[in-house]
Amino acid sequence: MIRLQYQVELAYEIRSPAGADFIFNVHAAQTEQQSVVEEQLVLSQPAMPDLATDSATATRFMRLHANLGQLNLTYRATVDIAHHRSDPTILHEVPVRCMPLEVLPYVYPSRYCQSDRLLRMAFANFGHLYPGYSRVLAIQHWVQKHVTFTSNASNANTSAIDTLVEQVGVCRDFTHLMIAVCRALNIPARMVTGTDYGADPALGPPDFHAYVEVYLDDRWYLFDASGTGVPMGFLRLGTGRDAADVAFATIFGDVVTAAPSINVHALEGPELETPHHLHRRALDCRGHARAAGRLRFL
Amino acid sequence: MIRLQYQVELAYEIRSPAGADFIFNVHAAQTEQQSVVEEQLVLSQPAMPDLATDSATATRFMRLHANLGQLNLTYRATVDIAHHRSDPTILHEVPVRCMPLEVLPYVYPSRYCQSDRLLRMAFANFGHLYPGYSRVLAIQHWVQKHVTFTSNASNANTSAIDTLVEQVGVCRDFTHLMIAVCRALNIPARMVTGTDYGADPALGPPDFHAYVEVYLDDRWYLFDASGTGVPMGFLRLGTGRDAADVAFATIFGDVVTAAPSINVHALEGPELETPHHLHRRALDCRGHARAAGRLRFL
Amino acid sequence: MIRLQYQVELAYEIRSPAGADFIFNVHAAQTEQQSVVEEQLVLSQPAMPDLATDSATATRFMRLHANLGQLNLTYRATVDIAHHRSDPTILHEVPVRCMPLEVLPYVYPSRYCQSDRLLRMAFANFGHLYPGYSRVLAIQHWVQKHVTFTSNASNANTSAIDTLVEQVGVCRDFTHLMIAVCRALNIPARMVTGTDYGADPALGPPDFHAYVEVYLDDRWYLFDASGTGVPMGFLRLGTGRDAADVAFATIFGDVVTAAPSINVHALEGPELETPHHLHRRALDCRGHARAAGRLRFL
Amino acid sequence: MIRLQYQVELAYEIRSPAGADFIFNVHAAQTEQQSVVEEQLVLSQPAMPDLATDSATATRFMRLHANLGQLNLTYRATVDIAHHRSDPTILHEVPVRCMPLEVLPYVYPSRYCQSDRLLRMAFANFGHLYPGYSRVLAIQHWVQKHVTFTSNASNANTSAIDTLVEQVGVCRDFTHLMIAVCRALNIPARMVTGTDYGADPALGPPDFHAYVEVYLDDRWYLFDASGTGVPMGFLRLGTGRDAADVAFATIFGDVVTAAPSINVHALEGPELETPHHLHRRALDCRGHARAAGRLRFL
């Protein structure tokens, strides 16, 4: 078990006279492995946030309408995390005939994970491997070898196909490519957004992060597609098919966005050891926010 | 109210020695507007189908494992349909701040409806229109004017962007483009698959069809994006974000597929009048099946 | 030296009242390695063909205007071919600083060969190899291993990027991918269209074919990207950057096209031995024709 | 006639120990309408530039090899320009049957101008217009209305299809889209790069620019697709199919590039009047340079 203190500060300048609508996903999820001990939300405007939790994924959404002017949002939470661990050697892939119905959509292609175009590629590279955890690990290693972590070489439109071709990207892009390859092999896979506590402090402060969950045996297992984080320190925010589902902020209106400020530190629990391979990487997983459209009416 | 007799016959030759898995969505949905009076399923193999209904969309899935050899499936149902009708002049778009949480995902981009790339186009063409039913109708008319119904000019990989550029396609492509434009304007939109009873018999037999539902006021309203069917005669099978969610058959394994045979006729109810503009169109909406991957083990 | 008798028959039904314009590239090229001993052109309409040869590539174009109705074209030629052969071990890549100016455009990306997107992929796969003939051969082998020859899985819009992702195609697609990878490594590469005499007769009759030329040392060398032909039996028609330059027929107007009929047989020269790997392949390289636009005015 | 003084300063830091190769196209072209009165080239390294002129387009290339370290290049020229002017009302489109052979390639699709995918769109929007200058003008106006000039919304990979869909870009993107639409209608069109003397000084200093040439009657006519420049003040550098052919600098090796500095002013000739619509635009057409690959050996 690890207890993390997580805080995010967001700042927006709303320029539409009629204000703007926001859908945030910055709340820590509450799951069997992650419990929110205490949390606090501070808004600079007297907005009435509308909170909801998606029952299937535990993603917590906050919708609010902000008026013309400045909106500052600070959310902080104390979160206990006890990741489930299994003996990897006994984790099997689940044949389609045995998959729970609610898992099936994660085998289908989605906006950024066009697995339907990768059937042949996935089968050629991974079809001969023994199904199960080790095959998923082989996919993860292949993605890490295939793609070079590079800031500003991809954008909000970049999909798994682009990353396969151009071989550069950030954690979001690694995640999309790994998901697409898994689905092409009929292995359910989805995207998780969170924060990445535990990376070497020399790499810079903790940041938003995106990683993969794969369904094996009877539950979802976490894989860090980009290999830039320490899974034991991941704090879960959103869970969905791909980045289209789990932007940390979706903005409807004319809004100027400042860079988010994120802070995560451990209050209790084991010292996380940064894997050696992380020591010299420059990380930049910011930029998951998605601005969706202009405000439409008064 | 109209009572339809719907029957579909599917035939497959399974060539994988270990058999193949299927997920079908050929069952008539049961909704407030559509009730299944009686139904019957005949399989040529002693397979044990696994039936499930998605609670959010009422889509009914049937999963089954078939052995090496021939699989014939006949499903027939007697279905009562009473489409909800409203006075279009009073139907409003719903601002994001008022949208039910479960409707929000239908504003996000999906595999074949990349609405995030169409924000500017949608706003330029429809941003000045008064929000509501009439604006959605304007989008539908624009799609019908913009795209020419053409068989074999698109394929399973064709997306709304392709259809916008190349301006040809079948009902699936019209549907994807209309959905993408709606979402770009923050109007929730989704895909429905069904059958198209009521078109002029001279056009050929009834067929699978795909059309659009748009969320207005407090419920989903149906729009026939391709304008090739008679909405009063639509019988609903599946409902989802786009074609990735609602293939009538998803096949896992090495399988040869024959063309489906579909029959729909009215047992009771008003004679549907085929709109004049449908009389000279050649329709071909077949080909929604999606073959997903090879069977992996056994 | 080999002497080939080549004949092609094309048939079109022109439906535009004003007739249609055609640009053909079915004439055998005349180069240092290939000389046209005799040739004959028969047209079913009294059209006045306009013949021209591109001085840079030796591609011979025939432009003609045909009237409403049927147009049949038969071209036959007796052609002597003596392919240049070198000791591959001494063929070097040419550094950019030494490349003849007229060769440079073949390093740049083109319509179907988007080499600019493949820099990283090409460098990761082939950057460590010793430059020269052996590296080009490694690229060719990689393309043949990566892509599966499949008819009707690609179309006139398919580019090297699509083929890289989906890993299926015909000779045109193999050719585009190999060209794109070469250019990404700054190796000049271009497309040649021709016919493929010499493949096992069991595979079907000779057909149009597309293959690659790569600039090494001081001249262009031929590589059969798809590995479906016998290079010694290739008869050259057109040479260009990619399929956009060397369609065998470009049609301007409303025209119905019949499948071309091609015949090639040897009059003199060595028996060509079909490599063993060709014996069980099904070939289909037809379909290079490109219909460009509707006729514009009377 | 106008006499312009043009100067460009480029600065690079070569980091490959073996040096780097460059192909520049910064020399003023010499054509019937543009004559170079005097010019001067200053290099900070004792490199031996290799100069060549493409006979078909008059584009002047300079190739040079630079050593590890800093390379500064200053080119200045005094250029007399007397643009050819015609009565637009008498300019006709040329039917394919009458087009000079060397003009034909400009009807074909190219890397960034995929006209083959726009046949239907072009015909639907412009097929009914009377062919000739006025139709080309209609295309130009449509492009200007359709696309919004926006810096940093497109990149080196952006093509005419992307610009059609996303409706944003800089002069390069307007140019590609206008070229693609013209070619889809069988109107030969090509890209010119140059400088944009004459825009309102309030808009910032002169800059590199990209615009369109269309073949009408018996010569090429200039169209400023983005409408951000004053055609009378355009000084021609390169001419090609699209940006793939006419980058002002193509770099082979590991090189850090500084922003170019450009200066153009009139020595003689009429005061150019900046059209009113240019007065409030922010221009940024920089960024035509294309880095092509890593140096391969030495």
Side-chain angles (χ1 to χ4, degrees), chain C residues 178-239:
Chain C
M178 181 171 169
I179 290 172
V181 175
C182 287
R183 291 184 189 166
L185 294 162
N186 301 325
I187 307 171
R190 63 188 191 181
M191 186 172 188
V192 183
T193 54
T195 61
D196 66 351
Y197 173 74
D200 184 347
L203 296 177
D207 198 354
F208 284 127
H209 192 51
Y211 47 96
V212 176
E213 274 192 330
V214 172
Y215 195 84
L216 293 170
D217 270 349
D218 56 356
R219 63 185 300 150
W220 293 96
Y221 286 90
L222 189 161
F223 291 80
D224 187 35
S226 65
T228 58
V230 182
M232 283 301 289
F234 290 173
L235 185 155
R236 177 184 305 252
L237 303 177
T239 307

Side-chain angles (χ1 to χ4, degrees), chain D residues 44-90:
Chain D
S44 67
Q45 288 196 12
M48 284 291 289
D50 183 13
L51 283 158
T53 301
D54 183 72
S55 59
T57 61
T59 305
R60 297 167 69 197
F61 295 102
M62 177 175 61
R63 176 167 56 184
L64 63 83
H65 178 77
N67 297 320
L68 180 70
Q70 188 68 22
L71 172 70
N72 297 316
L73 176 161
T74 302
Y75 169 82
R76 70 177 67 90
T78 304
V79 182
D80 283 352
I81 302 172
H83 284 299
H84 173 85
R85 309 189 79 161
S86 283
D87 175 2
T89 62
I90 58 161

Side-chain angles (χ1 to χ4, degrees), chain A residues 83-285:
Chain A
H83 283 298
H84 173 85
R85 309 188 80 161
S86 282
D87 174 2
T89 62
I90 58 162
L91 295 179
H92 303 90
E93 294 177 21
V94 182
V96 166
R97 88 194 66 160
C98 305
M99 242 174 240
L101 180 70
E102 67 273 17
V103 167
L104 269 171
Y106 298 104
V107 176
Y108 297 153
S110 60
R111 170 66 181 91
Y112 299 107
C113 304
Q114 308 99 323
S115 48
D116 52 308
R117 298 189 66 192
L118 300 184
L119 299 188
R120 196 172 282 272
M121 183 283 266
F123 195 75
N125 283 292
F126 307 103
H128 61 289
L129 297 182
Y130 194 80
Y133 178 85
S134 60
R135 178 153 81 161
V136 177
L137 208 62
I139 297 169
Q140 181 189 28
H141 289 161
W142 177 87
V143 169
Q144 287 179 16
K145 198 181 155 202
H146 193 75
V147 182
T148 303
F149 198 102
T150 312
S151 299
N152 301 318
S154 55
N155 59 42
N157 186 34
T158 303
S159 73
I161 298 290
D162 297 316
T163 306
L164 175 67
V165 169
E166 291 172 7
Q167 311 196 340
V168 289
V170 294
C171 58
R172 170 193 190 277
D173 306 304
F174 284 79
T175 294
H176 284 157
L177 181 53
M178 181 171 170
I179 290 171
V181 175
C182 287
R183 291 182 189 167
L185 294 162
N186 301 325
I187 307 172
R190 62 187 191 182
M191 186 173 188
V192 184
T193 53
T195 60
D196 67 348
Y197 172 73
D200 184 346
L203 296 178
D207 198 355
F208 283 127
H209 192 50
Y211 47 97
V212 176
E213 275 192 328
V214 172
Y215 195 83
L216 294 170
D217 269 349
D218 57 356
R219 63 185 301 149
W220 293 96
Y221 287 90
L222 189 162
F223 290 81
D224 188 35
S226 63
T228 57
V230 182
M232 284 299 289
F234 289 173
L235 185 155
R236 178 185 304 254
L237 304 177
T239 307
R241 290 201 193 176
D242 63 20
D245 284 354
V246 288
F248 75 76
T250 306
I251 302 165
F252 301 82
D254 186 3
V255 170
V256 179
T257 302
S261 159
I262 295 151
N263 194 282
V264 186
H265 62 273
L267 299 176
E268 286 172 40
E271 184 94 3
L272 292 191
E273 194 183 341
T274 309
H276 185 70
H277 74 275
L278 294 183
H279 281 242
R280 272 155 321 167
R281 293 222 187 143
L283 303 189
D284 177 12
C285 291

Side-chain angles (χ1 to χ4, degrees), chain C residues 64-130:
Chain C
L64 63 82
H65 179 77
N67 297 321
L68 180 69
Q70 188 68 21
L71 173 70
N72 298 317
L73 176 160
T74 302
Y75 170 81
R76 71 176 67 90
T78 304
V79 182
D80 283 351
I81 302 171
H83 284 299
H84 173 85
R85 308 189 79 161
S86 283
D87 174 4
T89 60
I90 57 161
L91 295 180
H92 303 90
E93 294 177 20
V94 182
V96 167
R97 88 193 66 163
C98 306
M99 241 172 240
L101 180 71
E102 67 273 17
V103 168
L104 269 172
Y106 298 103
V107 176
Y108 297 154
S110 61
R111 170 66 181 91
Y112 299 106
C113 304
Q114 307 98 323
S115 48
D116 52 307
R117 296 190 66 194
L118 300 184
L119 300 189
R120 195 172 284 271
M121 183 281 267
F123 195 75
N125 283 292
F126 306 104
H128 61 290
L129 296 183
Y130 194 80

Side-chain angles (χ1 to χ4, degrees), chain D residues 13-32:
Chain D
E13 184 197 339
I14 292 99
R15 302 205 292 194
S16 329
D21 288 323
F22 292 82
I23 298 169
F24 291 107
N25 170 216
V26 293
H27 283 69
Q30 308 221 52
T31 69
E32 276 185 47

Side-chain angles (χ1 to χ4, degrees), chain B residues 117-118 120-122 124-125 146 148 150 161-162 164-168, chain D residues 117-118 120-122 124-125 146 148 150 161-162 164-168:
Chain B
R117 297 190 66 193
L118 301 184
R120 195 172 283 272
M121 182 282 266
N125 282 292
H146 192 75
T148 303
T150 311
I161 298 290
D162 297 317
L164 175 66
V165 169
E166 290 171 9
Q167 311 195 342
V168 289
Chain D
R117 298 190 66 192
L118 300 184
R120 196 172 282 272
M121 183 282 266
N125 283 291
H146 192 75
T148 303
T150 311
I161 297 291
D162 297 316
L164 175 67
V165 169
E166 291 173 6
Q167 309 194 344
V168 290

Side-chain angles (χ1 to χ4, degrees), chain C residues 14 16 18-22 64-68 251-255 295:
Chain C
I14 292 98
S16 331
D21 289 321
F22 292 83
L64 63 82
H65 179 77
N67 297 321
L68 180 69
I251 302 165
F252 302 82
D254 186 2
V255 170
L295 195 69

